[in-house]
Amino acid sequence: MRNTLGVLVSPNAEQWESAKRISREGWRALGEAGLLSLAHKGTDFLHSAIFLEELGGLGYGGIRASVAVHAYMAVSYLHLFGTEEQQRGYLPAAQQGRLIAALAITESTAGSDLRQLSTRAERTGGGYRVTGEKLYVANGSQADFIITLARTREMQGSRGLTGASLLVIDADSPGVSRSPEPMLGWHSADICRVRFTDVPVPTERLIGRRDQALLHLVHALDFERLVAGILAVGGVRHCLDLLKGFVREHHVKGAPLGTHQAVRHRIADLESSYDLIRHYGYRAAWLHARGQLDTYTASSLKLRATELAVAAAQTCLQFHGARGYAADAVAARLYRDAMAGPIAAGASELLRDLVYESA
Ligand SMILES: Cc1cc2nc3c(=O)[nH]c(=O)nc-3n(C[C@H](O)[C@H](O)[C@H](O)COP(=O)(O)OP(=O)(O)OC[C@H]3O[C@@H](n4cnc5c(N)ncnc54)[C@H](O)[C@@H]3O)c2cc1C
């Protein structure tokens, strides 16, 4: 798997970073290699866990986010709650890399607090008309279908997400517009703002139970945290390998940097934390494979793995000195990419709340 990824991704990675997206040929090659159709559940999910770790280990946050959103986070809603017709219509083409998926949940005032959701899907004769604006949507410009969350019922006096539903929207529907949102890192993730203006969506595009999205999100968000956590574990490994290679070669005060105790101890702390979180990641994957993943485990993994990735990237940049701070330095890209981890797919503070509440 590592070799296949190395052949399909590594030679193209810099080009995808500049183009701000994975090429269509790249998607199809990943699909043909079977890397977009690995299992979402059961013991075969452990193949996915290995794939996600290897994907994270390539060292490009944007590429790993783009692939994971497409092949795991977005399509998980269809796998879990989609009708047979929806699954037939979207999944085979997505697995072959012919159709690209995006997940558009976040809004300007509804990120950590989805209760502030303002996108609306009003009932019409044949389905819904969707109006609203979604932010920071990975795969935004090239997505062929977009899984989104909208209010389908106004609930007077009630709080929360009651009355919200999940919909799959074809991106070429009238009223869908998209514009790039340049980010600090994750350059190849194709992050966009997506506007829905009176977008007609047929009833058959409703995913799961109408007005009951909250029930579905509970499962899907734990899965998303699991995926994000394992990707981050791979990212930490990549970063530590770069750092250890550098401190072996670079000399300060007449000796390799890695012989200085301050450096060795810092790397030792990161290595042992990596080892712990990697084991925890596979434990979480195993729980998921058995249908037993819980919010505490998924949140703890995502929280700790993404924060460790930031610590590793910061240390990596620090010990590279000024050459690591150069705009085109690998250490600088790793740092920029790592900083998105504790925000995207659930900010660390929200996860700490969840860990506290579910412990
Ligand atoms: C690179 C990137 C890619 C993304 N891709 C997607 C995508 O494909 N689809 C999508 O729908 N969304 C995507 N997002 C959005 C992401 O899911 C949200 O950023 C995230 O849910 C946090 O929401 P917010 O940014 O609106 O922050 P807010 O909810 O406004 O929070 C701001 C900050 O407040 C703090 N905070 C939050 N909650 C609490 C709390 N309970 N207690 C104390 N402090 C708190 C956190 O530090 C947080 O970062 C992406 C984000 C990034 C950065």
Side-chain angles (χ1 to χ4, degrees), residues 65 69 73 102-114 134-140 147 183-186 189-192 224 337 339-351 353:
V69 164
M73 295 167 180
L103 179 63
I105 304 287
T106 306
E107 301 176 1
S108 64
T109 53
S112 306
D113 185 5
L114 290 178
K134 299 291 184 176
L135 302 182
Y136 318 119
V137 179
N139 300 334
I147 312 288
M183 306 296 277
L184 179 66
W186 285 25
D190 185 19
I191 308 279
C192 285
E224 190 172 314
D337 284 352
M339 289 300 288
I343 300 173
S348 285
E349 291 76 5
L350 171 78
L351 297 180
D353 279 347

Side-chain angles (χ1 to χ4, degrees), residues 105-120 134 149-155 157-165 213-214 217-218 221 350 353-354 357:
I105 304 287
T106 306
E107 301 176 1
S108 64
T109 53
S112 306
D113 185 5
L114 290 178
R115 294 173 306 177
Q116 306 306 321
L117 178 77
S118 66
T119 296
R120 283 183 161 62
K134 299 291 184 176
L149 179 70
R151 283 204 186 280
T152 35
R153 189 147 63 108
E154 294 304 329
M155 306 285 288
S158 80
R159 293 172 70 243
L161 270 178
T162 315
S165 304
L214 183 58
L217 284 167
V218 169
L221 291 178
L350 171 78
D353 279 347
L354 292 174
E357 284 157 15

Side-chain angles (χ1 to χ4, degrees), residues 196-356:
F196 301 120
T197 311
D198 278 334
V199 178
V201 181
T203 313
E204 311 83 75
R205 297 290 190 274
L206 176 77
I207 303 176
R209 290 164 62 179
R210 185 157 62 87
D211 304 332
Q212 304 286 327
L214 183 58
L215 290 177
H216 304 326
L217 284 167
V218 169
H219 290 284
L221 291 178
D222 279 344
F223 181 67
E224 190 172 314
R225 292 168 192 135
L226 170 67
V227 169
I230 299 173
L231 288 172
V233 168
V236 173
R237 183 69 265 150
H238 179 88
C239 196
L240 288 179
D241 287 345
L242 179 76
L243 173 59
K244 287 166 78 176
F246 181 78
V247 301
R248 268 196 300 270
E249 300 299 324
H250 188 68
H251 285 61
V252 171
K253 285 193 169 176
L257 196 50
T259 58
H260 295 270
Q261 193 183 55
V263 176
R264 296 160 64 92
H265 286 186
R266 185 74 192 110
I267 293 177
D269 286 349
L270 290 168
E271 278 288 0
S272 52
S273 299
Y274 161 77
D275 210 21
L276 291 171
I277 198 65
R278 181 168 187 263
H279 279 83
Y280 195 76
Y282 275 97
R283 178 174 174 273
W286 176 238
L287 285 175
H288 175 72
R290 297 173 54 150
Q292 293 171 352
L293 181 66
D294 56 284
T295 297
Y296 173 85
T297 306
S299 303
S300 300
L301 171 65
K302 199 267 176 182
L303 169 68
R304 293 304 189 140
T306 56
E307 293 198 347
L308 181 63
V310 171
Q314 189 176 11
T315 305
C316 183
L317 194 155
Q318 173 70 23
F319 288 140
H320 273 74
R323 61 193 66 69
Y325 195 66
D328 61 351
V330 174
R333 172 169 50 73
L334 295 181
Y335 181 72
R336 288 196 301 270
D337 284 352
M339 289 300 288
I343 300 173
S348 285
E349 291 76 5
L350 171 78
L351 297 180
R352 285 195 166 82
D353 279 347
L354 292 174
V355 168
Y356 183 85

